[in-house]
Amino acid sequence: MPNQTPTPLKDSLRALFLMAQSQIDKPTKTKLPNGLRLEVTIQSNDWTFLIVSRVGGFPTEQEYADVVAALPVTPPLMITPVAEEGKDKSYIATMFPTSPMKDEG
């Protein structure tokens, strides 16, 4: 079970996942104050796609680890990220089986 202690990152991810649950197959995005961009797509095939990106360079390993640790769901599998460098942004992406969450707010 994910750590329930609220933090700005956890709050942002919870809101992002709740929005993604209501928009199946549509990318749901947010930008954090530190420039990190998060994108979640909950797909109709019961997989969740997570992208952690930054314009101008890769997110750090610690930033990625912080995002995974703050997820409002517990992925049922180990998450193996894939890093890609693009001309506009660099990102780390991963997929895992969807774990629905409830709106507790």
Side-chain angles (χ1 to χ4, degrees), residues 1-79:
M1 177 159 226
N3 181 343
Q4 299 299 317
T5 306
T7 67
L9 179 57
K10 287 180 185 180
D11 291 345
S12 293
L13 280 164
R14 173 168 272 294
L16 188 65
F17 269 74
L18 285 171
M19 191 180 309
Q21 281 185 176
S22 70
Q23 303 180 108
I24 301 297
D25 290 324
K26 293 183 182 176
T28 306
K29 304 173 185 178
T30 193
K31 182 177 176 185
L32 301 177
N34 65 358
L36 204 61
R37 297 166 187 249
L38 307 175
E39 179 179 318
V40 172
T41 305
I42 296 178
Q43 301 174 331
S44 55
N45 65 0
D46 294 326
W47 283 84
T48 297
F49 187 56
L50 170 67
I51 298 175
V52 181
S53 66
R54 180 181 301 289
V55 173
F58 277 105
T60 66
E61 286 183 35
Q62 185 60 55
E63 287 173 322
Y64 178 76
D66 290 346
V67 168
V68 170
L71 288 175
V73 297
T74 302
L77 300 174
M78 178 182 281
I79 311 176

Side-chain angles (χ1 to χ4, degrees), residues 76-98:
L77 300 174
M78 178 182 281
I79 311 176
T80 303
V82 174
E84 293 287 333
E85 188 169 13
K87 69 175 189 170
D88 296 328
K89 67 180 177 182
S90 298
Y91 64 89
I92 301 171
T94 192
M95 289 182 73
F96 51 88
T98 299

